[in-house]
Amino acid sequence: MKKLELHWQIMIGMFFGILFGFGMAQLTWGKDFIMDWIGPFGQIFVNLLKLIAVPLILASLIKGISDLKDISKFRNIGFRTIGIYMFTTVIAITIGLVLVNVIEPGEGISEDTITKLSNTYANDSSIQGKISEATNQKERGPLQFLVDMVPSNAIAAMSNNKLMLQVIFFTIFMGISMLLVGEKRSKPLKDFFDSLNDVILKMVDLIMLAAPFAVFALLSQVVVTADDPEILQKLLSYSGVVILGLLLMITFYCSLVYLYTKKNPIWFLKQMSPAQLLAFSTSSSAATLPVTMERVEEHIGVDKEVSSFVLPVGATINMDGTSLYQAVAAVFIMQVLWPEGLTFGNQLSIVVTALLASIGSAAVPGAGMVMLVIVLEAIGFPADLYPVALALIFAVDRPLDMCRTVVNVTGDATVSMIVAKSVGKLHKNPKAKNWDDNYDEVK
């Protein structure tokens, strides 16, 4: 009997996880059972992916830069990557603004719903924490993001997945320095990182064996912790606008893949589906990064010289799904609480602020809420309404976070294909590796 492909295994795990979660939610002891005995296995899986994210970036990026042999090639890849990421982010924000202004989901929210949401969530510690964090970020200097990119301690940066940009900076610095000392002197260090890269990729293969079971655990936990169904229903129009925008972004990516790389969009989505499904389950681009790199290199054919730079950078600065969500959420909040703020100037400010806020935003669950507060502050939204504004969308933030992370990961893969094609590094016949490829050598 033919073994099911990985994406089918994960989809089965998702289906049974949702079904099991709904079933257990009907029992008085069901939520506690899942949180105590099922949820931890999903968290272990996410921790394993995060565990290898930094070593993978370190080994893969140094290998990619040292293989270039020419700094000018790295410069070309870098400028193209940043430029395309900014372009796709602006497109995402524009799509969000057009949809929310045309459909106007905020028009259907009643005063009773606003009051209920405010009473339920306005004093939530998570919401207050997001507001406080956003305020701290706003008070920083205009060039603070550049300061934050440069670590004072490389080891400390590697110990925190939120400091991904610092790890990337250090790794690029080391890779360029290896090029400048010459191939002969850097060879021992290069051999070490080449070997480390192979080992980390093998760890990815081994971790992915548990993916279907982990997705089952993660989604069953999400289902039993879902909020009031009545509130979710009343926010359906807002959620629908966000999801429609995210689907349009996926369509946009597929169009770029077809027009520029001449690859079949269905084939592209199929190859990326395991990473997309994990992004949906974990709500974290950083946790999904090892799988994204494995799929892009071994299944799509992007050379490691390109993927090792484009994907880690994308996981940090490319937040297309999140930026689209910012645009929809900000205008939706204004439609409900501050209709006089719906000016063309404010919406233009949303485009600029959402673009800038996406750079350096942590690739972890919930970062979008912090970015949203920054966007609202930029357009002069009344400060006393922040708790109510976030309460208005808090109930559906987690499921929408899951959806927009899928778009973020898909965008990273799309840009890596475009950059690879532009520099002649997109291979036609990639060879996928399995976890037991070298098993005969060690058994």
Side-chain angles (χ1 to χ4, degrees):
M1 181 177 176
K2 186 178 178 181
K3 182 180 178 181
L4 281 174
E5 293 185 28
L6 180 61
H7 65 279
W8 287 116
Q9 295 179 35
I10 295 177
M11 287 183 72
I12 291 171
M14 291 176 66
F15 173 77
F16 282 107
I18 294 172
L19 199 64
F20 183 70
F22 274 121
M24 295 300 286
Q26 309 308 312
L27 304 174
T28 54
W29 51 270
K31 179 178 179 179
D32 290 337
F33 176 80
I34 287 183
M35 297 299 290
D36 293 341
W37 298 98
I38 304 295
F41 292 101
Q43 189 58 52
I44 289 171
F45 177 78
V46 173
N47 288 348
L48 285 172
L49 289 174
K50 289 181 178 179
L51 171 70
I52 62 173
V54 169
L56 179 61
I57 291 173
L58 191 68
S60 179
L61 191 48
I62 287 180
K63 174 175 170 55
I65 294 173
S66 60
D67 284 345
L68 286 173
K69 307 285 193 303
D70 185 353
I71 295 179
S72 64
K73 291 182 181 179
F74 176 73
R75 184 180 64 238
N76 291 337
I77 292 173
F79 283 136
R80 293 180 192 192
T81 299
I82 303 300
I84 297 172
Y85 276 146
M86 293 182 70
F87 169 71
T88 59
T89 300
V90 171
I91 294 295
I93 298 168
T94 304
I95 288 174
L97 286 176
V98 170
L99 288 177
V100 74
N101 279 286
V102 171
I103 300 175
E104 296 185 331
E107 296 298 318
I109 302 297
S110 66
E111 289 293 333
D112 289 342
T113 303
I114 297 172
T115 302
K116 185 174 182 180
L117 286 165
S118 300
N119 293 337
T120 305
Y121 299 111
N123 296 317
D124 188 281
S125 59
S126 178
I127 286 181
Q128 297 300 325
K130 306 294 184 190
I131 295 173
S132 176
E133 186 176 343
T135 302
N136 292 336
Q137 288 194 27
K138 186 187 175 186
E139 291 175 350
R140 302 185 309 170
L143 297 181
Q144 186 62 39
F145 75 97
L146 289 178
V147 176
D148 291 341
M149 285 177 59
V150 183
S152 59
N153 186 320
I155 304 301
M158 293 176 199
S159 68
N160 188 345
N161 280 20
K162 293 182 180 180
L163 302 178
M164 199 81 77
L165 271 181
Q166 293 190 3
V167 176
I168 292 170
F169 176 88
F170 171 75
T171 307
I172 291 174
F173 194 20
M174 178 180 283
I176 292 174
S177 299
M178 287 173 62
L179 286 178
L180 293 176
V181 301
E183 187 175 353
K184 183 177 180 181
R185 291 184 179 87
S186 64
K187 190 176 186 305
L189 193 57
K190 183 181 185 304
D191 290 342
F192 168 77
F193 282 111
D194 286 354
S195 178
L196 178 62
N197 182 69
D198 290 336
V199 172
I200 296 295
L201 289 177
K202 185 60 66 178
M203 292 173 71
V204 175
D205 292 336
L206 292 171
I207 293 171
M208 287 303 291
L209 293 176
F213 308 101
V215 167
F216 169 86
L218 288 167
L219 286 184
S220 62
Q221 186 175 5
V222 168
V223 170
V224 297
T225 56
D227 293 285
D228 186 346
E230 182 184 349
I231 291 178
L232 300 182
Q233 185 177 4
K234 290 180 178 178
L235 293 176
L236 195 59
S237 58
Y238 158 70
S239 304
V241 172
V242 176
I243 292 172
L244 176 60
L246 297 177
L247 290 174
L248 288 176
M249 273 309 293
I250 296 287
T251 304
F252 173 68
Y253 293 142
C254 289
S255 300
L256 290 180
V257 167
Y258 177 74
L259 293 173
Y260 192 78
T261 69
K262 308 303 179 185
K263 298 285 187 179
N264 187 325
I266 304 300
W267 171 85
F268 166 67
L269 292 177
K270 180 181 178 182
Q271 302 310 313
M272 283 303 301
S273 56
Q276 291 172 325
L277 294 171
L278 281 181
F280 181 80
S281 304
T282 62
S283 301
S284 172
S285 301
T288 313
L289 180 60
V291 182
T292 306
M293 294 184 74
E294 187 261 349
R295 300 303 298 185
V296 165
E297 292 171 10
E298 298 183 13
H299 296 264
I300 290 179
V302 175
D303 196 283
K304 186 175 290 295
E305 293 177 6
V306 175
S307 64
S308 61
F309 175 78
V310 177
L311 294 177
V313 169
T316 306
I317 72 169
N318 182 46
M319 299 284 178
D320 290 351
T322 306
S323 298
L324 185 148
Y325 152 83
Q326 313 278 308
V328 175
V331 175
F332 170 73
I333 287 169
M334 285 194 288
Q335 288 172 348
V336 177
L337 300 174
W338 194 46
E340 62 270 23
L342 284 169
T343 64
F344 177 77
N346 276 346
Q347 300 207 35
L348 192 60
S349 295
I350 290 174
V351 175
V352 176
T353 311
L355 174 62
L356 296 176
S358 68
I359 299 173
S361 175
V364 296
M369 293 281 278
V370 177
M371 292 170 60
L372 178 59
V373 176
I374 295 173
V375 171
L376 291 174
E377 287 190 341
I379 59 177
F381 187 82
D384 59 312
L385 292 179
Y386 285 149
V388 181
L390 295 191
L392 195 61
I393 60 171
F394 189 74
V396 292
D397 184 66
R398 180 57 197 270
L400 292 182
D401 195 7
M402 296 162 72
C403 295
R404 62 188 185 245
T405 306
V406 173
V407 172
N408 292 342
V409 168
T410 308
D412 295 345
T414 301
V415 174
S416 71
M417 287 183 70
I418 293 172
V419 173
K421 179 71 173 180
S422 70
V423 295
K425 295 291 183 178
L426 183 61
H427 305 301
K428 291 184 177 179
N429 299 305
K431 185 180 183 303
K433 299 177 182 178
N434 296 311
W435 72 272
D436 57 352
D437 282 346
N438 307 107
Y439 187 64
D440 291 338
E441 300 175 15
V442 297
K443 69 178 181 178

